[in-house]
């Protein structure tokens, strides 16, 4: 019969079993009674985790914190003082916009010596000193730019480009030449000169300040029209630093226009004639002008013909057309607007040199 706790079939062969095997691990009653249960306190149960709790700093800790705060304040003050010092010594401060001066103007008519030659525009140009000049804006060439003492090469290029843009807008723009607008030239002027420019357009006067031809070249559309081919241009641009804050550009160009009478009858068009304008412009740029793409005009001298002497030159150009003659005048100085070396412009009137007219 199997013992208590054994399977009905008895202990399987080869497996441990029976009371003899467990007898060695049975505790008697005396051992159990002698055992004592010990319960750990909360501090003891926390063990080493209790070290993560930080006690409040004593007086020494407070002194260390105050020292660190004082050091932080000193560092902030030092950084602020350094920033202020560098700001005052910064050589790249925002440029100041200088006040522009009024433009000083001179317009001199050049009277023809005899009847004004007329004919086909292309043939007239081919027989004139403008035969080798380039057409339109292609005749306004920029010189090789170089940095100056206080202006970079890029700033010099910008000044020369603005000067060229003004010459194109005021001397070659078809709508400006035809008297329909002055806006392209006006957009390129320093704001301080706009009031003077507007007065010159609305109420021109030969007073050394408000001559219209000193600002723009335009013809009375009731009298003349600009014929093809395009105007011919020849001249130079020069630059120089005038002060540490201003850059000057001098534009010296001769423009040759083919003109016809505005009112033409049916049939063959009326004969054309050539009209020559020599312009010398002195432009000034400060750094704000360069940034805003605008110019300040200091002086403008215009010699133009054929025109009659003795007329008001403030109101614009009054070309003499093919076959017309100028009234006789006494002793005007001969002036060649195509000459590379020219004397100072005559005060009131000049005589258009024969070399400046188309050859027969």
């Amino acid at each position: 019969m199997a013992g208590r706790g054994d399977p009905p079939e008895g202990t399987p062969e080869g497996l441990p079993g029976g009371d003899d095997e467990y007898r060695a691990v049975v505790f008697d009653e005396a051992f159990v009674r002698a055992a004592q249960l010990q319960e750990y306190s909360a501090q003891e149960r926390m063990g080493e985790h209790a070290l993560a709790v930080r006690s409040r700093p004593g007086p020494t800790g407070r002194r260390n914190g105050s020292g660190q705060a004082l050091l932080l304040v000193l560092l902030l003050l030092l950084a602020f003082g350094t920033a202020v010092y560098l700001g005052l010594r910064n050589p790249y401060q925002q440029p100041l916009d200088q006040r522009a001066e009024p433009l000083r103007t001179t317009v001199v008519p050049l009277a023809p010596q005899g009847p004004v030659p007329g004919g086909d525009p292309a043939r007239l140009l081919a027989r004139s000193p403008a035969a080798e000049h380039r057409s339109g804006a292609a005749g306004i060439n920029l010189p090789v730019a170089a940095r100056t003492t206080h202006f970079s090469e890029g700033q010099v290029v910008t000044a020369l480009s603005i000067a060229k843009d003004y010459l194109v807008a005021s001397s070659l723009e078809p709508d400006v030449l035809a008297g329909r607008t002055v806006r392209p030239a006006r957009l390129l002027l320093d704001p301080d000169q706009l009031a003077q420019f507007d007065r010159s357009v609305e109420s021109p006067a030969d007073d050394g300040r408000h001559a219209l031809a000193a600002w723009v070249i335009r013809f009375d559309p009731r009298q003349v029209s600009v014929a093809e081919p395009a105007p011919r241009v020849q001249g130079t641009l020069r630059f120089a630093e005038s002060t540490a804050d201003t850059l000057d550009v001098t534009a010296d160009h001769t423009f040759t226009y083919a003109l016809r009478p505005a009112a033409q009858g049916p049939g063959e068009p009326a004969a054309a004639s050539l009209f020559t304008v020599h312009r010398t412009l002195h432009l000034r740029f400060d750094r704000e002008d360069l940034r805003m793409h605008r110019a300040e005009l200091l002086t403008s001298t215009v010699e133009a013909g054929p025109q009659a002497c003795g007329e008001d030159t403030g109101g614009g150009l009054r070309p003499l057309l093919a076959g017309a003659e100028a009234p006789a005048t006494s002793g005007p100085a001969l002036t060649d607007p195509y000459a590379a070396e020219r004397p100072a412009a005559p005060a009131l009137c000049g005589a258009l040199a024969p070399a400046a007219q188309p050859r027969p």
Side-chain angles (χ1 to χ4, degrees):
M1 181 174 180
R4 187 180 63 180
D6 292 336
E9 299 83 1
T11 303
E13 185 179 356
L15 294 176
D19 292 338
D20 292 337
E21 182 174 353
Y22 294 100
R23 185 175 291 115
V25 296
V26 173
F27 302 106
D28 57 18
E29 183 177 356
F31 177 83
V32 171
R33 289 178 178 178
Q36 295 182 2
L37 297 179
Q38 180 179 0
E39 182 178 359
Y40 291 100
S41 67
Q43 181 73 22
E44 292 173 334
R45 288 198 300 271
M46 291 178 64
E48 62 181 11
H49 295 292
L51 298 177
V53 180
R54 185 174 62 185
S55 59
R56 295 182 60 185
T60 303
R62 285 196 297 270
R63 286 197 298 272
N64 291 338
S66 300
Q68 292 177 353
L70 179 60
L71 179 61
L72 180 60
V73 171
L74 291 177
L75 289 175
L76 290 176
L77 291 176
L78 179 62
F80 178 75
T82 302
V84 171
Y85 174 78
L86 292 178
L88 294 176
R89 294 294 300 272
N90 185 7
Y92 302 103
Q93 297 181 25
Q94 186 71 17
L96 297 177
D97 187 13
Q98 301 184 18
R99 189 76 179 174
E101 302 176 9
L103 170 65
R104 301 187 300 275
T105 66
T106 302
V107 180
V108 179
L110 301 179
Q113 305 299 293
V116 177
D120 178 73
R123 294 187 63 185
L124 290 173
L125 285 169
R127 300 200 307 266
S128 78
E132 303 301 325
H133 296 181
R134 304 181 72 177
S135 298
I140 305 175
N141 299 313
L142 301 186
V144 177
R147 65 171 292 116
T148 65
T149 304
H150 298 95
F151 289 88
S152 67
E153 180 180 341
Q155 290 174 315
V156 172
V157 171
T158 299
L160 293 170
S161 300
I162 299 172
K164 177 176 179 176
D165 289 345
Y166 185 81
L167 290 172
V168 172
S170 63
S171 306
L172 297 173
E173 178 65 37
D175 286 341
V176 173
L177 295 177
R180 289 188 288 268
T181 184
V182 294
R183 181 175 173 79
R186 190 180 191 276
L187 291 175
L188 295 170
L189 292 175
D190 189 293
D192 294 337
Q193 294 187 315
L194 293 181
Q196 183 185 6
F197 176 84
D198 292 340
R199 179 180 168 185
S200 301
V201 174
E202 298 166 1
S203 304
D206 188 12
D207 58 1
R209 287 289 187 270
H210 303 95
L212 178 59
W215 297 94
V216 296
I217 303 301
R218 74 173 184 175
F219 303 101
D220 187 344
R222 298 167 297 181
Q223 302 295 326
V224 299
S225 62
V226 180
E228 294 293 337
R232 302 293 179 87
V233 187
Q234 177 73 15
T236 60
L237 286 168
R238 299 186 300 274
F239 65 91
E241 182 179 302
S242 52
T243 70
D245 298 314
T246 55
L247 188 66
D248 287 11
V249 173
T250 301
D252 190 332
H253 291 80
T254 299
F255 300 83
T256 305
Y257 306 91
L259 304 179
R260 293 186 188 274
Q264 297 183 9
E268 292 293 329
S273 60
L274 299 185
F275 189 78
T276 306
V277 177
H278 173 238
R279 297 186 76 187
T280 302
L281 294 178
H282 183 185
L283 304 96
R284 176 162 292 173
F285 303 87
D286 58 28
R287 288 178 171 79
E288 184 68 7
D289 291 329
L290 296 176
R291 189 179 71 86
M292 299 301 294
H293 199 83
R294 67 194 189 196
E296 173 191 348
L297 273 61
L298 293 182
T299 62
S300 174
T301 300
V302 175
E303 302 168 327
Q307 294 188 97
C309 291
E311 296 188 8
D312 183 8
T313 58
L317 302 173
R318 294 181 173 85
L320 294 175
L321 301 179
E325 293 187 56
T329 56
S330 59
L334 286 177
T335 304
D336 183 358
Y338 294 99
E341 298 293 336
R342 286 179 296 271
L348 299 176
C349 185
L352 191 60
Q357 295 287 345
R359 297 183 303 271

